[in-house]
Amino acid sequence: MTTETTPVRFDTKIAVVLREDLPTWQRLNVTAFLVSGLGSELPEVIGEPYADADGTAYLPMFRQPVLVFEGTKETLTAAHTRALARALPRAVFTSDLFATGNDRDNRAAVRAVPKDQLDLVGFAVYGPRNAVDKVLKGARMHP
């Protein structure tokens, strides 16, 4: 039996993995960019709109928590490879994107590099909890 006070347990997971050597401002920026990709392509991850007691409307947000992890460059590369092998929805952010100033140049920078040579500084992944856990092997929760 489910009640209003029963905690919701999701069978899916939204996760972001960041390279551990990024400055704080870059970690925040990369996380924001990455999760925007998931929300735009996967409508099932978005909950209902919010409203306060006065009836002021607010935008909907993810229906579940976003877990943020970190790891070395090698950890990100391995996790990215595992996400690709499992065909999980994903978004990438490469070091090249810090030098661009717009979406067109961002896409061109990623398109210019083969997937196994991307200099990943972060990526987001969504899917069944167990599959995402396997993808994240070696990464640790962000402090």
Side-chain angles (χ1 to χ4, degrees), residues 38-92:
L38 294 177
S40 66
E41 287 295 312
L42 302 163
E44 69 269 20
V45 303
I46 304 296
E48 296 296 320
Y50 286 75
D52 62 27
D54 298 317
T56 305
Y58 300 96
L59 295 172
M61 297 184 283
F62 288 128
R63 67 184 179 101
Q64 67 190 89
V66 175
L67 302 173
V68 182
F69 295 80
E70 69 175 5
T72 64
K73 180 177 181 174
E74 295 77 19
T75 300
L76 264 71
T77 299
H80 178 251
T81 300
R82 290 191 292 267
L84 291 171
R86 287 175 172 74
L88 294 174
R90 67 223 163 255
V92 297

Side-chain angles (χ1 to χ4, degrees), residues 1 4 7 11 13 16 20 25 31 37 48 54-55 62 75 79-80 83 94 97-98 107 109 116-117 120 132 134:
M1 177 178 184
E4 290 288 324
D11 58 353
K13 185 177 274 189
V16 173
E20 64 187 5
W25 76 267
T31 300
E48 296 296 320
D54 298 317
F62 288 128
T75 300
H80 178 251
T94 67
L97 303 188
F98 291 126
R107 285 181 281 111
D116 61 341
Q117 295 177 24
L120 296 171
V132 172
K134 289 177 182 172

